[in-house]
Amino acid sequence: MAGLGPLEGLARRPQRLILLAALVLLLLSLTTWLSVDPTGVETVRQQWGSIPRPWQRPGASAAGEYAGGSGVPSVDSAVKDMYTHTPGIPQTPEELKQWATKGDDGNLYPPSFIPSQANQAPRAKAGFIVLVRNGELASMRESMRDVEDRFNRKYGYPWIFLNNEEFTDDFKKGVKQMTRSEVRFGFVEKKHWGYPEWIDRNKAADTRKQMKEKKIIYGDSESYRHMCRFQSGFFFQHPLTMDLDYYWRVEPGIKLYCDVDYDPFVFMQMNNKTYGFTMALHEYIETIPTLWSTTKKFVEENPQYVAKNNGIHFMTDEPERFMDPGYNLCHFWSNFEIGDLRFWRGEAYQKYFEFLDKSGGFFYERWGDAPVHSIAAILFLDKARLHHFDDIG
């Protein structure tokens, strides 16, 4: 018998041949099932993973320890990320019933998937700051829809709404319907939405009349001037914003056409950025005839606030002469801003705004918050701390 070959041995013992054929048929059946059933591989993997392994430490998976080592996330961690109620490891819709909620219609509803809760990445101390009227509810809801769908549903940052009048119940209800995030409603005090004591109201009224005759945009608007002054010097001091470091300014009626799949606030923090913008425009010279000269006077009296590596080349065509050539009217479009509130609250900007405010240009001319913010950012910040969000729009 010792000299027999393998085939001759099988022929002499047919039971071995039958066993081998059965094993081949079993293997062919298994591979066919795995190729046809899309859930077959996953089912096998789960069943294999459920086999007790006494030699492993408690909590270790067959594929390795995901936290701090090799391997992949366990099914348990994936489910915890996906379902807000952390149901464990439901394998079938039937098992998921125990975490379902019963609706008013009597039907069972599976746990909600809320992207902002599934996203466990760290957040910045940030939020959306909106100055809006009650009558702008429809356009505000449109803006929120874009911002929520494109970005915030994945991050859950709060919304802060400010108004120089009390918000109506309809407005509050209307905006709350557009987000799962925290919503705050704030009132703008009269001292931040009115005339300071040093302003000659008759002179201010004459200016509005003259600008109306010249058909200067918003030239005859009193409320527009209050808005520009508030956005220039006070929005970052409102009590509802004091727990924030960063803000995203949102206006009624804006559009976001592209998904934002990363966190711009965290981007600002990680890269030590202070002011972010999407586009730059030219200001109407008729609205700011003395803004540059007033700023130049402030800089001459306070040179310590000017950054050494500033971006003056953005605002003058002869940067080697600093501010002497005059202002080329370029400014960042402030209807979109992502910025560091601590810059506006800092000494340099506070002194600058107080200087501008005392000069009366917000009322005797029609200084806008966009050129005021832009000039301050260009002069008082290192240009490396500015960022063009060319991927948001």
Side-chain angles (χ1 to χ4, degrees):
M1 293 295 294
L4 295 177
L7 294 178
E8 188 177 354
L10 287 174
R12 289 178 176 270
R13 294 188 177 182
Q15 65 271 24
R16 294 182 179 178
L17 186 61
I18 294 172
L19 179 62
L20 180 62
L23 289 174
V24 171
L25 289 174
L26 180 62
L27 181 61
L28 289 173
S29 300
L30 178 62
T31 55
T32 302
W33 174 66
L34 290 177
S35 63
V36 172
D37 187 350
T39 64
V41 175
E42 184 60 30
T43 302
V44 171
R45 183 183 292 116
Q46 291 175 2
Q47 295 298 326
W48 177 260
S50 65
I51 297 174
R53 294 173 173 81
W55 59 86
Q56 285 187 339
R57 296 192 311 274
S61 67
E65 294 180 329
Y66 179 67
S70 61
V72 296
S74 66
V75 174
D76 185 47
S77 66
V79 172
K80 285 181 180 178
D81 287 343
M82 182 172 181
Y83 291 102
T84 61
H85 298 93
T86 316
I89 315 177
Q91 301 294 336
T92 66
E94 190 67 25
E95 294 178 13
L96 193 60
K97 280 186 177 180
Q98 60 183 306
W99 294 281
T101 56
K102 193 170 186 179
D104 295 337
D105 56 4
N107 292 314
L108 292 177
Y109 289 85
S112 298
F113 176 76
I114 302 176
S116 64
Q117 293 186 17
N119 178 2
Q120 298 297 309
R123 307 294 200 269
K125 294 170 62 178
F128 303 98
I129 298 180
V130 187
L131 182 64
V132 61
R133 301 183 183 94
N134 288 308
E136 295 173 308
L137 175 59
S139 56
M140 190 68 246
R141 283 166 57 91
E142 292 175 3
S143 298
M144 292 183 70
R145 171 56 65 204
D146 274 17
V147 174
E148 287 290 326
D149 285 355
R150 298 298 188 181
F151 168 71
N152 200 46
R153 64 189 297 267
K154 296 169 283 190
Y155 291 90
Y157 283 106
W159 289 84
I160 296 93
F161 295 98
L162 304 177
N163 192 351
N164 66 309
E165 298 178 352
E166 294 291 347
F167 283 110
T168 64
D169 291 340
D170 286 343
F171 183 92
K172 293 179 180 180
K173 179 181 178 181
V175 296
K176 284 181 177 179
Q177 291 173 339
M178 306 306 293
T179 181
R180 286 190 174 101
S181 299
E182 176 192 1
V183 179
R184 310 175 188 176
F185 301 98
F187 178 72
V188 177
E189 299 180 21
K190 294 297 182 183
K191 65 180 180 179
H192 293 159
W193 196 280
Y195 292 99
E197 60 183 11
W198 58 84
I199 294 298
D200 183 337
R201 298 194 184 190
N202 292 327
K203 181 178 178 181
D206 289 341
T207 297
R208 295 196 302 274
K209 181 180 179 181
Q210 294 170 14
M211 285 192 169
K212 181 179 181 179
E213 294 173 351
K214 296 178 181 179
K215 298 182 179 179
I216 297 174
I217 185 171
Y218 298 121
D220 63 333
S221 175
E222 189 175 25
S223 63
Y224 191 85
R225 286 170 168 80
H226 292 314
M227 180 275 291
C228 289
R229 180 172 178 259
F230 174 78
Q231 295 282 39
S232 295
F234 303 115
F235 80 93
F236 46 83
Q237 295 180 353
H238 195 282
L240 294 183
T241 72
M242 296 308 294
D243 63 333
L244 307 181
D245 291 338
Y246 299 92
Y247 73 102
W248 180 332
R249 176 170 165 177
V250 178
E251 295 283 329
I254 59 97
K255 298 289 185 183
L256 277 182
Y257 294 99
C258 302
D259 287 341
V260 182
D261 291 325
Y262 69 97
D263 190 332
F265 297 124
V266 172
F267 169 86
M268 298 283 284
Q269 185 170 340
M270 290 174 63
N271 295 283
N272 195 29
K273 302 295 184 181
T274 300
Y275 188 84
F277 64 97
T278 57
M279 66 177 71
L281 308 171
H282 285 94
E283 183 59 293
Y284 297 97
I285 184 60
E286 297 87 354
T287 65
I288 55 165
T290 67
L291 176 58
W292 189 255
S293 60
T294 305
T295 300
K296 189 170 182 291
K297 184 178 179 181
F298 172 81
V299 168
E300 291 170 350
E301 296 178 9
N302 301 275
Q304 71 275 17
Y305 295 134
V306 178
K308 292 182 179 180
N309 190 32
N310 60 69
I312 190 64
H313 63 280
F314 176 76
M315 292 192 160
T316 178
D317 297 331
E318 299 178 65
E320 65 277 4
R321 296 176 56 202
F322 194 45
M323 298 184 70
D324 289 340
Y327 182 28
N328 63 12
L329 305 179
C330 286
H331 70 279
F332 305 125
W333 188 60
S334 63
N335 280 23
F336 173 96
E337 289 181 328
I338 296 180
D340 191 329
L341 292 161
R342 293 165 293 187
F343 172 63
W344 308 126
R345 296 167 183 153
E347 180 178 313
Y349 185 77
Q350 285 290 288
K351 294 291 186 182
Y352 176 57
F353 172 74
E354 290 171 5
F355 192 88
L356 296 183
D357 204 23
K358 290 288 186 181
S359 74
F362 290 105
F363 299 102
Y364 301 149
E365 296 179 11
R366 204 229 66 191
W367 293 354
D369 53 282
V372 171
H373 285 187
S374 301
I375 292 173
I378 286 295
L379 292 177
F380 307 145
L381 291 173
D382 187 296
K383 61 186 178 182
R385 299 181 69 179
L386 306 176
H387 180 69
H388 178 209
F389 283 104
D390 58 356
D391 54 349
I392 298 179

